[in-house]
Amino acid sequence: EIKDPDITHHEEFSEKLANYIASRRISIEVCPTSNLQTIPALKNNIQNLMKDNSIDAILITGAGQHNPPMVYLTGGGHLTNADLIIKYGQEPILFHGSMERDEAAKSGFKTISYDKYSYDEIKKIAKGNPVDFQAIRYLEMLKDAGITEGNIAIYGNCDISGKFAILSRVQALSQKINFVISIINCNLAY
């Protein structure tokens, strides 16, 4: 939305601006954390953005460094792999490896070690299938975060091929969970 009263032809202005940006190959960041860093008040507005966009939870996955969504929300840290789950109306939970519990604690969030989920028990249920193993663990983590159904927006920096297979399997096993690419990205730019 253009709010400057001196700009009267919004569509023409928008088109000229887009052409100017494209002709000079100017990069524009369109990810939630880059916009959160630009507009810090939005970090405190995540719950409203979730509500406005019918998002029941957010899953941010990947390392604690070189992963803008994770870094911004947790403050960064030496986490090899982590999952931050934010359920609408609740405080976030940071899932982490057991040797990284001190780094995870620095986030200030409630933390749960992946070790809580019995490797042997899940492996038996998954019948040795590594994708099913990860999917079953995610279902347990989501359950611990109070999520058994709804739209979950996904963010983070990780190997997409492996994560796509795992999250697709979570959806297939639960049939009540729907992973979405959130419109929140667009709303954060305004």
Side-chain angles (χ1 to χ4, degrees):
E1 180 179 349
I2 299 171
K3 295 181 180 180
D4 187 333
D6 294 334
I7 300 171
T8 55
H9 302 325
H10 294 182
E11 286 183 34
E12 181 183 342
F13 175 80
S14 296
E15 187 174 328
K16 285 182 179 180
L17 178 60
N19 288 334
Y20 177 85
I21 291 169
S23 70
R24 284 161 181 79
R25 304 177 71 77
I26 297 171
S27 298
I28 298 177
E29 294 183 49
V30 281
C31 78
T33 55
S34 66
N35 291 313
L36 285 171
Q37 292 167 5
T38 304
I39 310 169
L42 291 175
K43 183 175 181 182
N44 298 323
N45 202 23
I46 289 174
Q47 295 290 324
N48 289 335
L49 291 168
M50 291 171 69
K51 180 181 177 186
D52 293 346
N53 291 283
S54 301
I55 301 298
D56 301 297
I58 295 175
L59 168 64
I60 301 168
T61 189
Q65 296 181 331
H66 310 291
N67 183 354
M70 187 70 78
V71 170
Y72 186 72
L73 292 170
T74 65
H78 299 285
L79 299 167
T80 306
N81 185 50
D83 291 286
L84 180 65
I85 298 176
I86 306 170
K87 180 181 179 187
Y88 177 74
Q90 295 188 7
E91 289 297 314
I93 300 174
L94 182 61
F95 296 84
H96 59 87
S98 60
M99 293 187 66
E100 298 170 330
R101 67 183 170 275
D102 293 337
E103 288 293 317
K106 291 177 185 178
S107 71
F109 296 133
K110 175 181 177 180
T111 62
I112 297 177
S113 171
Y114 293 132
D115 287 350
K116 175 183 180 189
Y117 309 98
S118 170
Y119 177 84
D120 292 333
E121 186 177 315
I122 295 174
K123 185 177 176 185
K124 183 178 177 182
I125 295 168
K127 299 178 182 164
N129 182 312
V131 171
D132 282 358
F133 177 92
Q134 293 290 333
I136 292 165
R137 185 172 76 176
Y138 263 115
L139 285 169
E140 291 299 313
M141 291 164 46
L142 290 165
K143 183 178 170 185
D144 283 348
I147 303 160
T148 56
E149 63 184 356
N151 292 325
I152 302 174
I154 50 175
Y155 297 100
N157 188 359
C158 62
D159 172 48
I160 191 66
S161 61
K163 195 60 74 174
F164 179 78
I166 293 164
L167 297 180
S168 294
R169 190 67 180 134
V170 168
Q171 283 188 159
L173 291 171
S174 74
Q175 297 185 350
K176 292 183 179 182
I177 290 175
N178 184 37
F179 290 104
V180 298
I181 304 300
S182 174
I183 194 70
I184 288 176
N185 287 356
C186 298
N187 288 341
L188 293 179
Y190 298 110

